[in-house]
Structures are given as structure tokens and as C-alpha cells.
Amino acid sequence: KETDDALEVLNDVAAGKADKDHNHTIANVTNLQDTIDDINSKFDDCQKLSYPGVTIAEGTDILTLGKGEYRCVANSVAQTLVNCPTNVNFKLTVEERQGETRLLYTIKDSSANVYVNSISGDNTWAGWKKLANDDDVANLQTQIDKKLDKTTNS
């Protein structure tokens, strides 16, 4: 009897509920698209706060940008940029330097990678260089330690 009562309660609770394969498109849910757009807008505002500067447009050749602070707030935009060393969102600082180097380009991306590039007075680019971070150094140290272990144990 208790099992039958429990089963009846479960059937009552499940009555009118959608099965696991039931789904709706965004258009079928009232205000869902507006809510998603609002959340995306707020996310974009947060990104702008964390990466101040001029927003870089899709397809921009970043080596043509002059002195200033720039930001790429979306990975999808970063993937369209020309002469860009990363495919994730980033902050770009372009500085004027004295001597041989006219401009120094520094990118810090959302993966904590830092890249630098510079152009000399004769318009020759040095090429993007990724600076080693703590993880890179630790990985290199591990590789060195393994090689040293092999040579001392041989």
C-alpha cells in the first residue's frame, strides 16, 4: 500500500511535466533573447573596465595602430586581426621610444601571456616575442631537471 501511495504521489508530481527530450527555441521563451542580450552587454561593459582603451575593430592590422591604449574584448575579434600573436582577448599598449626603436607594442592577453614587438627607425619589425611567464619557467626547470637526472643516472 505504501509503495502504491508513493508511486501515486510521484505520478501526480510528474503529471504535466516535459520529458527529458523536450526543448524550446529562444523565440519560444518570453524575453529570453532580451535577457541574453542584456547579460552580454553587461559582460562587454565589464571587459571594457578590465581592458581600458580604444576598442580594436575586426580585421584590424594591429601593427598599424599608433601610440595609445587599445583593447580587444572578444576572442572572436582577436581571431580576425592581422599581425596579432594571440587569438584571445587582450590589452595592447603602443609606446614611443627614443633611439633606434620608434614604437614598442606590448600585448597582455586573457591567458596571462605577454608579447612584445617593436619597429626601428628604418621601419623594420623585430617580430612578436612571447615573454616567459612563471608557468613557462617552471616547465623549463622541470625539463632541465629530468635531463640532469637522466645524465647523472646513466
Side-chain angles (χ1 to χ4, degrees), residues 50-71:
S50 61
Y51 287 157
V54 176
T55 300
I56 300 171
E58 285 186 17
T60 299
D61 181 346
I62 62 173
L63 296 182
T64 64
L65 299 172
K67 180 181 173 184
E69 298 283 327
Y70 302 90
R71 66 177 178 262

Side-chain angles (χ1 to χ4, degrees), residues 84-123:
C84 185
T86 185
N87 60 2
V88 297
N89 60 325
F90 62 88
K91 173 189 174 193
L92 167 64
T93 303
V94 181
E95 303 173 55
E96 288 184 48
R97 297 288 180 146
Q98 298 299 323
E100 287 287 315
T101 303
R102 288 192 301 143
L103 295 172
L104 175 68
Y105 286 64
T106 305
I107 285 181
K108 182 174 183 182
D109 72 18
S110 60
S111 299
N113 295 310
V114 177
Y115 302 87
V116 294
N117 197 352
S118 61
I119 186 169
S120 63
D122 65 356
N123 289 329

Side-chain angles (χ1 to χ4, degrees), residues 133-146:
N133 61 30
D134 290 343
D135 291 340
D136 296 328
V137 173
N139 184 35
L140 184 58
Q141 186 62 54
T142 300
Q143 291 177 28
I144 291 169
D145 291 345
K146 285 180 182 177

